[in-house]
Each structure stands twice: as C-alpha cells, then as structure tokens.
Amino acid sequence: MAVKGVGIRDVAKLAGVSITTVSHVLNDTPQMRVAGETRARVRAAAKTLGYGPNRAARALRTNRSGLIGLLSEEIATTPHAGRIILGAQNAAREHDLTLVIVNADRESGDSHRDDVQTLIDRQVEAVLYATMYHRQVSLPPNLRGLPAVLIDSTDRAGLVPAVVPDEVGGAVAAVTHLVEAGHRRIGFLNNDDDVPATHERLVGFRQVHAEHGLPLDESLIVQAPSETLPGYALAREVLARPDRPTALFCYNDRMAMGAYRAAAELGLDIPRDLSIVGFDNQELIAANLFPGLTTVALPHYEMGAWAIDTLVHLLRGEAEYQLLADLPTRLDCPLTVRGSVAPPQEH
C-alpha cells in the first residue's frame, strides 16, 4: 500500500536521480535509454516508498495503456501449458506491464477475430497469441495492426515473430540418452497428426541413428493418436515381437504411460527389461509413474517470457526484432532424467 503523501519527488530523492529519470523509468518511456543499474535503483526506491505511477493518467498522457493481450487457445485450461502464462506474467511484471487474458475456443479455427477485437476494445498495446500445441496458423486480419508475437506456433504468412520448442533437439536428447545407455534397437511410438512435432521428433530420431551408425528398423516406427490407450496398443504390438526393442521413445508422456501398462502385462520390468523415454515432462504423469519417467521438458515458461521480452522491443520501435518473423526462434527442450532408463539386458 502506498504511503499517504509520497510522490515522485520522494522517489527521485531516495534514488538519487532526477524527477525526469524517475518518470521515464516508471512509465517505461519508449526510446529513453536509462542504465540498468539506475533503472533498478529507481524501481527499488519506488517499491520501498510504496509509490506507483497513476496508470489512468499515464494512458491519457502517453497514449499507452500498459496492457498486453494474451490470446490463449485453451492453454488457460491445460495444466502442462499454464507455465506459458506464468512466464509471460513474470516477464510483464518486470516491464511494468499487465496481461489481459482471453481464452479462445480452438474449435473456432484460425479466425479468432472476435477474441482479438475483445482485446483491442480494452486498448491493449500488443498481443501474444499462444496455441495449445505446435502448429502453423493464419492470423486474424484485425491483429495485423498491432505488434504481436506467436507462442508455440508459426505464422503462415511469415509476418509475425514466433517462438517454438526445438522439437528436433528434444528428440535428439531423448534418443541419445538411450544410445548412451547402450541401446541399439529402439522403437518410436509416434503421433499420427500432421503437425510439426510429429515430423520434427521423427527427424531427431532418425538423426541420432545416422550419427551413431545404427541400423534403423522402419517397422519399429509406429503411429497412432497421442493418447494413453493408443500408446498402450502400439507398445503391446511392438513389445510382443520376438525381436522386440530394448527401449522405446514415446511421442509424449501419455503414450509412455500406455507403454508402462503394456510392459507390465508382458512381464517386462522397467528399466531392467525395457527403457522408456517420453516427451512433455507432464509432471502429473512423468513424476508419478513408477519408476519415474525420463522425459523431455517443453520450454513453456521460457516461451512466455521470451514473447513478452520480444514484444517490449517491438513496442520500443527496435526494427531489428521484426526480422525475427523470418524464422521462428527455437528454444531448448531439456531432458529430465528420472528412473526409466538403464543399460539393456540380454533377452
């Protein structure tokens, strides 16, 4: 709570700077460069005194609302992707910005025109557009007039900066972990949807085999919807073979959970008889399987934070950041090691 009577002069005095500098820092004035140490000192002084700029007055004076729209395509109701919102919120707070979140219906397709208009009506300065899973989208025409950044998707027109997971790199990390444990015959339970993650994780799977000179049995690459029961059915099929693989790389943790069930029904111990690696690090699944599932983490938090930081540069008119629209920025998908991988046994 602000201390009664505290004003901008008090903040300037405590921070040892001019009133003008305090105004530029707290109002995040575009094109005004203030040293990072000075900026931190001003914010610390304002926090100590409980002083904050009047947002309504600032909006009238600068024609800036300090609001950033987040159009979230069902991620607000998807627990494992909620970290996108958290990353964006924390980064926005660092820049004295506030998120206005609209949860869009994925079934409405790529239009979302009304959702964008809702944000425009609330005078947002820019928009983050986050999709439920990695794919290409066509942006609503009324979004073209605002600075925008895509999260977990790319713009078909190539006009908007985007941040996506490094799907290939994540798959390489997962399969390399199995190879380094000694596995030479590895199955891949893949998704059957025509989305970037399906194709790029397969690229990573093949890449590791090529780099290590391992023979690739195409019959061990199988596809189905990326849910638990299809994962179970695929794993039963592959693991019942007399020449079964000693390890499985699964498109996501839900398919891996199905593979755990299949292994149990076939009397295979994890990881003694079969090693399994998943993808997503959906902790409600991965951390609670027994043994815990080694899996690849999607950078949800980091994508949200990156998107806000990029929007801030765009709002400041730094044209070089618009060049990021040419190719999506890919963030690392780190491996989270638990207990589901061990050296293969003779069988």
Side-chain angles (χ1 to χ4, degrees):
M1 179 180 293
V3 177
K4 185 176 181 180
V6 170
I8 193 170
R9 292 179 184 276
D10 302 296
V11 177
K13 183 178 179 180
L14 181 59
V17 299
S18 69
I19 292 173
T20 301
T21 298
V22 172
S23 177
H24 288 325
V25 170
L26 296 186
N27 289 306
D28 203 19
T29 307
Q31 279 90 41
M32 296 304 299
R33 300 190 181 279
V34 179
E37 187 275 334
T38 302
R39 189 179 294 273
R41 199 164 69 246
V42 169
R43 293 194 184 282
K47 184 176 182 180
T48 297
L49 295 173
Y51 176 81
N54 185 309
R55 285 189 177 274
R58 180 176 70 180
L60 289 172
R61 184 175 64 255
T62 65
N63 199 31
R64 295 191 59 204
S65 66
L67 302 177
I68 301 296
L70 172 57
L71 179 61
S72 79
E73 190 185 80
E74 295 185 15
I75 66 168
T77 55
T78 307
H80 67 276
R83 287 183 62 79
I84 289 176
I85 297 174
L86 182 60
Q89 281 181 329
N90 287 346
R93 190 175 297 116
E94 290 293 319
H95 295 288
D96 195 28
L97 298 169
T98 301
L99 287 186
V100 177
I101 301 173
V102 171
N103 193 51
D105 180 4
R106 181 163 56 99
E107 297 304 319
S108 66
D110 291 340
S111 60
H112 299 315
R113 183 192 299 266
D114 292 343
D115 298 312
V116 171
Q117 192 58 48
T118 295
L119 293 171
I120 292 173
D121 291 345
R122 280 152 182 76
Q123 299 182 316
V124 298
E125 296 183 42
V127 173
L128 303 179
Y129 181 12
T131 56
M132 190 176 180
Y133 59 87
H134 184 183
R135 73 175 203 272
Q136 274 198 333
V137 297
S138 296
L139 295 180
N142 55 343
L143 186 57
R144 296 298 183 193
L146 288 173
V149 173
L150 290 172
I151 302 175
D152 210 11
S153 58
T154 55
D155 174 21
R156 287 193 179 95
L159 300 176
V160 176
V163 60
V164 298
D166 181 0
E167 307 280 7
V168 174
V172 166
V175 182
T176 297
H177 185 65
L178 293 171
V179 171
E180 289 178 346
H183 295 278
R184 297 295 179 267
R185 188 166 173 78
I186 304 168
F188 182 20
L189 310 188
N190 199 7
N191 182 26
D192 63 357
D193 290 330
D194 183 15
V195 294
T198 300
H199 307 299
E200 293 175 16
R201 293 177 195 180
L202 178 58
V203 168
F205 182 79
R206 293 184 183 279
Q207 182 177 315
V208 174
H209 282 75
E211 288 176 351
H212 289 83
L214 300 178
L216 182 60
D217 184 344
E218 296 287 342
S219 69
L220 292 180
I221 301 173
V222 290
Q223 293 181 295
S226 56
E227 299 296 337
T228 301
L229 287 179
Y232 160 76
L234 289 182
R236 281 282 312 202
E237 174 188 331
V238 169
L239 296 176
R241 295 169 48 154
D243 59 346
R244 68 169 178 83
T246 61
L248 294 176
F249 170 46
C250 300
Y251 174 82
N252 62 18
D253 297 344
R254 297 189 299 276
M255 297 186 86
M257 183 164 61
Y260 268 58
R261 174 186 165 189
E265 290 182 359
L266 293 169
L268 300 175
D269 179 82
I270 301 171
R272 186 189 64 210
D273 303 315
L274 177 70
S275 290
I276 298 179
V277 176
F279 211 112
D280 283 359
N281 195 28
Q282 193 168 347
E283 292 193 4
L284 288 175
I285 296 175
N288 290 292
L289 289 171
F290 184 78
L293 176 65
T294 292
T295 184
V296 176
L298 287 168
H300 290 125
Y301 183 95
E302 293 78 6
M303 290 193 295
W306 183 96
I308 284 287
D309 290 340
T310 300
L311 271 185
V312 168
H313 289 296
L314 293 174
L315 287 168
R316 289 173 178 166
E318 298 173 22
E320 63 269 26
Y321 281 86
Q322 189 59 47
L323 298 177
L324 293 172
D326 292 344
L327 287 171
T329 295
R330 299 182 184 277
L331 299 188
D332 289 344
C333 297
L335 187 71
T336 300
V337 177
R338 295 189 177 92
S340 62
V341 175
Q345 304 294 313
E346 294 288 338
H347 67 274

